[in-house]
Amino acid sequence: MAEEKERKAFKDWFDREAAKKLADQMAGAMPAFDRARFVRLAMRKLNTLEMSNRVRHFSDALRSTLPVSLPAALKVLQESLPEILPDCEDVTDGWLKWPVGQFIADHGLEHFDAAMIELTQRFSSEFAVRPFVDQRPKETFARLIKLTKHPSPHVRRWCSEGVRPRLPWGMKLRALVADPTPIFPILEQLKEDPELYVRRSVANNLNDIAKDHPELVVERCRTWKKRGNANRDWLIRHALRSLIKDGHPDALELVGFGPPKRLNAKLSLSPAGIEVGESVVMEANISSTHGKPQKLAIDYAVHYVRKAGKTSAKVFKWTTVELSPSGKITLTKKHPMKRTTIRALYPGAHKIEIQINGARHAAAFFELK
C-alpha cells in the first residue's frame, strides 16, 4: 500500500480511503461520529479539487459532522490523535492529520494552545498556525517565543516553521514578507537548538526572508558567524543557499568564496543538438594565473527558451573546488533536458553559462529540437 501511495499524485492521497480512515480516527474518540455522512461530504465533488482545496474540503466535512460546540469539537480532534512521535524522523508520515490542522486554522482562534501543541507533535501544524500569526500577530508571537523552550523538538521547530513568510503550500504572511523583524527573536532562541530538525527550519526561515530582504539575512548570518561552530556554520550555509546560487557577493564571501581572481574559463557542449529527453554534456576548463589558491563554487545557468521565444535562466549547482596557484581543472557533467511538472520545454537555441563564485565566465549554445 505504501508503494501504491508513492505512485499517486499528492492530491490523490486525499481520496475515499483517506476519508474512511479519518472517519475511523474520529469515531475512536467519539463513538457517535457519523462516519457515513463524513465520507459522503468529503467525497462530494472531490475529484474537481486540487490538493490544498481537498484538505480544506475534508476540514469542512469535519465541521459538519463534529459537535456544533467548538470546544467539544476540538476536544474530539485532540483525543483522536495518535501517540506523540517518538523522534524527529519520518515526521510527515501523519499527512492525514492535515485536515485536522486546517480545522484548527479555520475555527480554533479562541483555542490556540492545547490543540496546536498536541497536533504539532504528531504532524507539524505550521499551516494551522498561520491564520493566528496573520490575525493576532502580537499575541501569537508572545506565545511562540515562550514555546521555543518547550521540551519537544516538534514544538520548537513549529515555532520557526509556522512563521516562515513564504512557506510552500502555506498562506503567504504578507506582513512578515514586508517586515520580517518579528521573526528574528524566535530564530535567535533556536539557532543553537540541539536538534538538526529544528536548526534546519531556522535556516529555511532565513532563506525565505532572503528572497525579499537579502541584506538583513546576510547581516544576521555575519553576526552569528562571529561566534560560529560547526552546527552554526552549516545553518548559515543552508540559510544563504538561494543567495549563493544567485551569486550574491556578500553571501558568497561569508561562506568562504571571495571574488575570483585571474581566472580563465572555457565551456564546450556536445552534441550540438539534442532531442527532448536527451542530455547535453558540458565540459568546463578552468585555469588560474593567480599566485594563491582559490576556493571556487562552480555552478551553471541554463537559459531555457520560453513559449514566447524569450529565455529565462535557472542556476544549477555543480561542484566546489580549491584551485591551486596557477592551477587547472577540467570538469564534465550531463544536463538532462526532460519535461517536468514545473518546467515545459520549447525548441530553439539554449545557452549555458558557467558561474564561478557568483560571476558568469563562459558560455556555449546547443539546439533543442
Side-chain angles (χ1 to χ4, degrees), residues 266-336:
K266 293 182 180 179
L267 176 67
S268 61
L269 306 176
S270 62
I274 63 171
E275 304 279 350
V276 171
E278 296 178 338
S279 297
V280 62
V281 179
M282 306 178 292
E283 180 177 289
N285 290 282
I286 302 168
S287 61
S288 168
T289 58
H290 189 51
K292 295 182 179 180
Q294 298 190 71
K295 188 178 177 183
L296 306 179
I298 302 170
D299 306 315
Y300 64 99
V302 180
H303 294 256
Y304 288 94
V305 174
R306 308 297 352 136
K307 190 173 183 178
K310 297 181 180 180
T311 62
S312 63
K314 166 72 174 174
V315 177
F316 296 88
K317 302 302 294 180
W318 193 333
T319 189
T320 59
V321 300
E322 184 163 316
L323 195 60
S324 60
S326 301
K328 298 180 180 179
I329 189 171
T330 298
L331 302 170
T332 60
K333 187 177 182 67
K334 288 184 177 181
H335 181 80

Side-chain angles (χ1 to χ4, degrees), residues 338-357:
K338 296 180 180 178
R339 292 188 178 94
T340 68
T341 56
I342 61 172
R343 182 178 297 115
L345 296 178
Y346 300 93
H350 287 64
K351 180 169 73 170
I352 297 183
E353 288 182 293
I354 297 300
Q355 180 174 292
I356 304 175
N357 291 10

Side-chain angles (χ1 to χ4, degrees), residues 90-287:
D90 300 321
V91 294
T92 59
D93 228 21
W95 58 272
L96 193 55
K97 311 302 178 295
W98 207 328
V100 177
Q102 187 66 54
F103 185 102
I104 298 170
D106 289 341
H107 309 293
L109 281 174
E110 301 299 330
H111 309 276
F112 178 94
D113 289 320
M116 299 286 272
I117 293 170
E118 291 300 320
L119 176 61
T120 205
Q121 294 180 79
R122 277 86 173 177
F123 174 73
S124 183
S125 54
E126 61 258 30
F127 302 103
V129 77
R130 298 174 82 73
F132 294 79
V133 177
D134 183 56
Q135 297 178 39
R136 300 184 180 183
K138 187 174 181 179
E139 176 186 355
T140 303
F141 272 103
R143 286 171 167 177
L144 292 176
I145 196 70
K146 292 179 180 178
L147 290 170
T148 60
K149 304 295 186 182
H150 197 278
S152 168
H154 301 291
V155 175
R156 300 196 305 272
R157 174 189 177 271
W158 168 65
C159 294
S160 166
E161 199 72 6
V163 297
R164 285 178 58 182
R166 295 179 176 272
L167 181 69
W169 292 338
M171 63 178 287
K172 184 189 294 186
L173 297 175
R174 298 183 185 279
L176 295 179
V177 169
D179 176 15
T181 54
I183 301 172
F184 289 130
I186 289 174
L187 304 187
E188 285 287 346
Q189 291 295 319
L190 298 174
K191 69 180 185 296
E192 298 289 354
D193 196 276
E195 290 286 350
L196 174 61
Y197 172 56
V198 179
R199 298 195 304 274
R200 184 183 290 114
S201 177
V202 172
N204 288 339
N205 201 321
L206 286 172
N207 187 59
D208 273 11
I209 296 170
K211 295 171 184 175
D212 303 288
H213 304 276
E215 302 309 326
L216 273 181
V217 172
V218 169
E219 186 55 40
R220 179 72 45 166
C221 289
R222 184 178 287 117
T223 300
W224 288 0
K225 194 171 180 63
K226 290 176 182 177
R227 296 183 179 179
N229 52 47
N231 285 344
R232 198 182 295 188
D233 287 346
W234 179 92
L235 190 158
I236 289 169
R237 287 195 303 273
H238 200 58
L240 297 176
R241 65 189 184 275
S242 293
L243 294 181
I244 290 169
K245 186 182 282 190
D246 291 342
H248 191 286
D250 291 338
L252 280 158
E253 193 160 11
L254 192 56
V255 295
F257 297 101
K261 297 178 180 178
R262 301 175 69 180
L263 281 184
N264 294 307
K266 293 182 180 179
L267 176 67
S268 61
L269 306 176
S270 62
I274 63 171
E275 304 279 350
V276 171
E278 296 178 338
S279 297
V280 62
V281 179
M282 306 178 292
E283 180 177 289
N285 290 282
I286 302 168
S287 61

